[in-house]
Amino acid sequence: MQTDIDPRNLIGRKAFDRNGTKIGTVDEVYLDDATGVPEWAAIRTGLFTRDAFVPLEPSKLVDGSLHVPFDRTLIKDAPDFGVGRHLSPDQELQLYHHYGLDLSTPPPPDHNFGRLAGTGDVEA
């Protein structure tokens, strides 16, 4: 993914699969906890359907649209974790495996998962 793109500018953009077929619209962008780099996009796949997570690497922003190098069927069959929540390390691994992406090094355990930023409290 182009690193000079502001992730907030991805929201609302159209998303297309590897064949140029429209998948839907970018609903949310998820950042890597350690680096702050945009890592996943949640794409609303239809008016009454769920959001599907897609990896932003190796996706590309072309002419104002997100182009994802996977087939629409694979994207729609991605694990459904709901949106508006933090992705756990296990959920991220499931997504990487679903898309057949290789993790050269597994992510470290996220000991702060479920904690509110800036506090020691576990989210209720």
Side-chain angles (χ1 to χ4, degrees):
M1 181 71 193
Q2 299 166 345
T3 57
D4 60 336
I5 300 297
D6 184 340
R8 293 172 293 193
N9 290 336
L10 287 174
I11 296 172
R13 298 205 186 227
K14 303 286 185 238
F16 296 88
D17 76 356
R18 68 196 278 158
N19 300 312
T21 304
K22 184 179 173 192
I23 305 163
T25 304
V26 177
D27 198 21
E28 292 189 24
V29 176
Y30 290 74
L31 308 179
D32 181 272
D33 289 338
T35 66
V37 172
E39 190 169 14
W40 299 97
I43 297 178
R44 172 88 37 196
T45 58
L47 188 59
F48 298 108
T49 57
R50 66 181 183 88
D51 283 37
F53 287 93
V54 297
L56 288 174
E57 180 63 44
S59 300
K60 297 193 182 308
L61 191 61
V62 179
D63 296 328
S65 299
L66 184 66
H67 291 260
V68 182
F70 301 102
D71 287 322
R72 180 184 174 132
T73 304
L74 182 66
I75 295 165
K76 287 192 169 209
D77 289 341
D80 184 3
F81 301 121
V83 294
R85 301 181 192 131
H86 183 276
L87 287 174
S88 74
D90 183 55
Q91 290 169 327
E92 284 190 78
L93 281 175
Q94 288 179 51
L95 288 167
Y96 277 112
H97 289 301
H98 176 76
Y99 287 106
L101 298 173
D102 180 37
L103 282 175
S104 55
T105 57
D110 188 351
H111 298 293
N112 292 319
F113 175 70
R115 294 179 187 236
L116 296 173
T119 71
D121 297 334
V122 175
E123 186 175 341

